[in-house]
């Protein structure tokens, strides 16, 4: 297997053309002709993830978040991102990003999040991609729980299904209200608050909800809100992406070993006061 073989398989699953116009996806570093035997999947391209890749002997790291989202004029090792690029190149490790193209894909990031927090059955996009005539792709997903339950029960279910972080699951709404139909969106999702209200769901689970939009949303009624750590909400996709990559390669008569990084790269590492 070469790096080109692996990236072409990834681009079959998550075509770069599906990415938002502002996004930066695809191969960031690496020689397409170099062999690849091990692929590490992670949410963030940060130093601890590269450390893990070096220790495990990976030749490729696939991350959800871009390393170089905005234009740069230098990757000198005098900057944190430059040092990361240099270390990967010196270690023979490539870097590939699947970001908003993995968000809108079906299945994609929000499908994995929906499954992790207990949604079952057929899912539909919260914000459909107008370029998809079948209406299957798009940002976010809407689905149902196995049974109606109180909001606090759903919050516990979501917390149990996602990796633990310092911030846990924050909830806005009557803890006893009944929740059955739920919208989810991996990553920062406050731009879809209106879409969640229009969908008529009982709850909306996402990340990075800001104070004023969330406060105003809760004040005017509508779905309950659940805010999870950005990293935690996107982490479930890694195993799904790794499995689908192996599937595409297997159909082509090739194999790679994959690994999902368990390194917690959420920006918030502690809360105070600490639990006793």
């Amino acid at each position: 297997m070469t790096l080109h073989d692996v990236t072409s398989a990834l681009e079959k699953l998550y075509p770069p053309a599906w990415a938002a116009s502002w996004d930066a996806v695809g191969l960031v570093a690496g020689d397409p002709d170099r062999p690849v035997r091990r692929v590490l999947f992670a949410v963030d391209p940060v130093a601890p993830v590269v450390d893990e890749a070096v220790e495990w002997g990976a030749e490729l790291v696939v991350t959800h978040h871009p390393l170089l989202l905005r234009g740069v004029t230098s990757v000198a090792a005098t900057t944190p991102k430059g040092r990361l690029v240099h270390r990967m190149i010196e270690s023979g490790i490539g870097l590939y990003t699947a970001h908003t193209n993995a968000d809108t894909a079906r299945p994609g990031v929000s499908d994995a999040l929906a499954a992790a927090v207990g949604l079952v059955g057929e899912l539909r996009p919260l914000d459909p991609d107008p370029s998809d005539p079948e209406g299957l792709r798009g940002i976010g997903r809407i689905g149902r729980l196995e049974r109606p339950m109180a909001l606090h029960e759903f919050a516990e279910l979501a917390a149990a299904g996602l990796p633990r972080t310092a911030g846990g699951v924050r909830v806005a709404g009557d803890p006893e209200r009944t929740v059955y139909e739920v919208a989810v969106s991996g990553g920062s999702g406050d731009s879809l608050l209106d879409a969640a209200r229009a969908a008529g769901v009982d709850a909306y689970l996402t990340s990075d909800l800001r104070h004023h939009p969330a406060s105003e949303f809760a004040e005017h009624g509508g779905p309950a809100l659940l805010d999870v750590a950005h990293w935690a909400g996107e982490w479930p996709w890694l195993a799904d992406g790794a499995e689908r990559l192996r599937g595409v390669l297997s159909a082509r008569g090739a194999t790679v070993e994959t690994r999902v990084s368990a390194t917690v790269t959420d920006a918030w590492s502690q809360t105070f006061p600490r639990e006793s």
Side-chain angles (χ1 to χ4, degrees), residues 151 172-174 177-178 193 196-198 200-204 216-225:
L151 175 59
D174 179 355
R177 73 174 289 175
T178 300
L193 285 169
R197 188 193 302 279
V201 297
D202 302 310
Y204 175 43
E216 292 170 7
F217 185 86
E219 186 72 16
H220 291 89
L225 297 177

Side-chain angles (χ1 to χ4, degrees), residues 6-246:
V6 178
T7 58
S8 67
L10 286 165
E11 291 180 357
K12 179 179 180 180
L13 293 166
Y14 312 109
W18 291 354
S21 60
W22 50 263
D23 204 1
V25 302
L27 186 63
V28 180
D31 181 347
D33 293 327
R34 293 201 62 167
V36 171
R37 294 165 297 172
R38 288 182 167 181
V39 182
L40 179 69
F41 278 73
V43 174
D44 297 297
V46 292
V49 167
V50 175
D51 290 343
E52 182 179 354
V54 171
E55 181 179 351
W56 184 51
E59 292 88 13
L60 176 63
V61 176
V62 176
T63 63
H64 183 52
H65 291 150
L67 175 66
L68 305 171
L69 183 57
R70 296 175 178 84
V72 297
T73 57
S74 170
V75 288
T78 52
T79 66
K81 291 187 177 184
R83 285 193 292 275
L84 211 61
V85 170
H86 278 257
R87 187 170 186 215
M88 286 187 292
I89 292 173
E90 290 167 358
S91 302
I93 298 172
L95 176 64
Y96 186 92
T97 298
H99 192 209
T100 52
N101 50 329
D103 286 328
T104 193
R106 181 186 176 97
V109 172
S110 289
D111 297 275
L113 172 59
V117 301
L119 302 191
V120 296
E122 191 70 19
L123 301 173
R124 64 185 192 274
L126 175 59
D127 182 26
D129 186 334
S131 69
D132 178 17
E134 297 182 353
L136 299 177
R137 290 190 286 105
I139 303 300
R141 294 291 182 268
I142 298 172
R144 290 180 174 173
L145 297 165
E146 280 193 352
R147 61 172 178 83
M149 61 183 66
L151 175 59
H152 69 85
E153 289 182 87
F154 174 52
E156 293 286 356
L157 181 66
L162 295 174
R164 187 169 183 174
T165 56
V169 178
R170 303 189 299 175
V171 179
D174 179 355
E176 298 300 331
R177 73 174 289 175
T178 300
V179 173
Y180 183 42
E181 191 169 45
V182 176
V184 302
S185 183
S188 301
D190 63 3
S191 65
L192 296 176
L193 285 169
D194 289 340
R197 188 193 302 279
V201 297
D202 302 310
Y204 175 43
L205 182 149
T206 188
S207 303
D208 299 341
L209 289 175
R210 294 171 296 160
H211 172 80
H212 292 296
S215 177
E216 292 170 7
F217 185 86
E219 186 72 16
H220 291 89
L225 297 177
L226 296 92
D227 185 278
V228 304
H230 192 126
W231 170 83
E234 293 177 330
W235 186 84
W237 168 74
L238 303 179
D240 186 66
E243 180 181 356
R244 294 182 186 283
L245 172 64
R246 293 195 306 271

